[in-house]
Short mmCIF file of all heavy atoms in Angstrom, two decimals:
data_model
loop_
_atom_site.label_atom_id
_atom_site.label_comp_id
_atom_site.label_asym_id
_atom_site.label_seq_id
_atom_site.Cartn_x
_atom_site.Cartn_y
_atom_site.Cartn_z
N THR A 53 -98.12 5.96 47.32
CA THR A 53 -98.96 7.17 46.76
C THR A 53 -100.28 6.75 46.29
O THR A 53 -101.09 7.65 46.48
CB THR A 53 -98.06 7.70 45.59
OG1 THR A 53 -97.96 6.55 44.49
CG2 THR A 53 -96.64 8.12 45.99
N GLN A 54 -100.53 5.62 45.85
CA GLN A 54 -101.97 5.21 45.39
C GLN A 54 -102.91 5.19 46.58
O GLN A 54 -104.06 5.29 46.39
CB GLN A 54 -101.87 3.95 44.56
CG GLN A 54 -103.08 3.45 44.05
CD GLN A 54 -103.01 2.30 43.13
OE1 GLN A 54 -102.80 2.34 42.09
NE2 GLN A 54 -103.18 1.14 43.90
N ASP A 55 -102.29 4.85 47.90
CA ASP A 55 -103.14 4.59 48.99
C ASP A 55 -103.01 5.65 50.00
O ASP A 55 -103.71 5.63 51.07
CB ASP A 55 -102.71 3.27 49.55
CG ASP A 55 -102.80 2.06 48.66
OD1 ASP A 55 -104.02 1.60 48.61
OD2 ASP A 55 -101.78 1.68 48.06
N GLY A 56 -102.21 6.71 49.75
CA GLY A 56 -102.22 7.85 50.68
C GLY A 56 -101.57 7.47 52.08
O GLY A 56 -102.02 8.06 53.04
N ILE A 57 -100.58 6.58 52.04
CA ILE A 57 -99.99 6.13 53.36
C ILE A 57 -98.50 6.21 53.27
O ILE A 57 -97.81 5.84 52.16
CB ILE A 57 -100.43 4.65 53.53
CG1 ILE A 57 -101.90 4.54 53.71
CG2 ILE A 57 -99.63 4.06 54.80
CD1 ILE A 57 -102.41 3.06 53.92
N LYS A 58 -97.88 6.62 54.32
CA LYS A 58 -96.42 6.61 54.42
C LYS A 58 -95.96 5.76 55.49
O LYS A 58 -96.54 5.78 56.69
CB LYS A 58 -95.75 8.00 54.59
CG LYS A 58 -95.77 8.82 53.43
CD LYS A 58 -95.15 10.33 53.77
CE LYS A 58 -95.36 11.24 52.59
NZ LYS A 58 -94.71 12.58 53.01
N LEU A 59 -95.02 4.81 55.33
CA LEU A 59 -94.41 4.04 56.45
C LEU A 59 -92.98 4.60 56.73
O LEU A 59 -92.14 4.59 55.88
CB LEU A 59 -94.38 2.60 55.92
CG LEU A 59 -95.57 1.92 55.40
CD1 LEU A 59 -95.36 0.48 55.02
CD2 LEU A 59 -96.69 1.96 56.53
N LEU A 60 -92.90 5.09 57.93
CA LEU A 60 -91.57 5.76 58.36
C LEU A 60 -90.76 4.83 59.16
O LEU A 60 -91.21 4.33 60.25
CB LEU A 60 -91.97 7.06 59.08
CG LEU A 60 -92.40 8.24 58.45
CD1 LEU A 60 -93.75 8.03 57.67
CD2 LEU A 60 -92.30 9.54 59.17
N PHE A 61 -89.66 4.45 58.73
CA PHE A 61 -88.70 3.53 59.40
C PHE A 61 -87.50 4.35 59.97
O PHE A 61 -86.93 5.23 59.43
CB PHE A 61 -88.13 2.43 58.36
CG PHE A 61 -89.22 1.62 57.86
CD1 PHE A 61 -90.09 1.99 56.69
CD2 PHE A 61 -89.40 0.32 58.39
CE1 PHE A 61 -90.93 1.19 56.28
CE2 PHE A 61 -90.37 -0.47 57.93
CZ PHE A 61 -91.19 -0.12 56.95
N ASP A 62 -87.26 3.91 61.19
CA ASP A 62 -86.03 4.57 61.91
C ASP A 62 -84.73 4.41 61.13
O ASP A 62 -84.35 3.27 60.50
CB ASP A 62 -85.76 3.86 63.19
CG ASP A 62 -84.77 4.47 64.00
OD1 ASP A 62 -83.53 4.11 63.84
OD2 ASP A 62 -84.96 5.44 64.85
N ALA A 63 -84.00 5.44 60.90
CA ALA A 63 -82.82 5.48 60.07
C ALA A 63 -81.66 4.51 60.58
O ALA A 63 -80.98 3.98 59.67
CB ALA A 63 -82.28 6.85 59.89
N PHE A 64 -81.72 4.19 61.85
CA PHE A 64 -80.70 3.41 62.44
C PHE A 64 -81.02 1.92 62.41
O PHE A 64 -80.39 1.07 61.88
CB PHE A 64 -80.26 3.95 63.88
CG PHE A 64 -79.52 5.22 63.83
CD1 PHE A 64 -80.17 6.43 63.65
CD2 PHE A 64 -78.17 5.17 63.86
CE1 PHE A 64 -79.48 7.65 63.78
CE2 PHE A 64 -77.32 6.40 63.91
CZ PHE A 64 -78.06 7.60 63.82
N ASN A 65 -82.02 1.62 63.13
CA ASN A 65 -82.40 0.18 63.32
C ASN A 65 -83.34 -0.34 62.19
O ASN A 65 -83.52 -1.56 62.14
CB ASN A 65 -83.08 -0.08 64.69
CG ASN A 65 -84.41 0.70 64.89
OD1 ASN A 65 -85.18 0.94 63.90
ND2 ASN A 65 -84.46 1.24 66.12
N GLN A 66 -83.88 0.58 61.22
CA GLN A 66 -84.58 0.30 60.12
C GLN A 66 -85.84 -0.52 60.43
O GLN A 66 -86.27 -1.56 59.72
CB GLN A 66 -83.71 -0.51 59.13
CG GLN A 66 -82.57 0.23 58.50
CD GLN A 66 -81.82 -0.28 57.38
OE1 GLN A 66 -81.84 -1.52 57.21
NE2 GLN A 66 -81.28 0.54 56.73
N ARG A 67 -86.52 -0.28 61.66
CA ARG A 67 -87.76 -0.89 62.05
C ARG A 67 -88.85 0.25 61.90
O ARG A 67 -88.58 1.53 62.06
CB ARG A 67 -87.75 -1.47 63.47
CG ARG A 67 -86.70 -2.65 63.62
CD ARG A 67 -87.09 -3.38 64.82
NE ARG A 67 -86.95 -2.61 66.11
CZ ARG A 67 -85.90 -2.32 66.73
NH1 ARG A 67 -84.75 -2.75 66.45
NH2 ARG A 67 -85.99 -1.56 67.82
N LEU A 68 -90.11 -0.27 61.79
CA LEU A 68 -91.14 0.67 61.47
C LEU A 68 -91.55 1.43 62.75
O LEU A 68 -91.66 1.09 63.76
CB LEU A 68 -92.43 -0.03 61.00
CG LEU A 68 -93.81 0.71 60.64
CD1 LEU A 68 -93.38 1.68 59.52
CD2 LEU A 68 -94.84 -0.17 60.20
N LYS A 69 -91.52 2.77 62.56
CA LYS A 69 -91.56 3.77 63.68
C LYS A 69 -92.95 4.45 63.62
O LYS A 69 -93.70 4.54 64.71
CB LYS A 69 -90.58 4.94 63.66
CG LYS A 69 -90.64 5.82 64.73
CD LYS A 69 -89.32 6.56 64.79
CE LYS A 69 -89.16 7.66 63.67
NZ LYS A 69 -88.13 8.69 63.89
#
Side-chain angles (χ1 to χ4, degrees):
T53 57
Q54 181 177 275
D55 300 279
I57 297 172
K58 288 181 181 177
L59 305 178
L60 283 67
F61 294 82
D62 184 274
F64 286 84
N65 58 44
Q66 297 188 339
R67 296 196 303 271
L68 183 57
K69 183 170 72 172

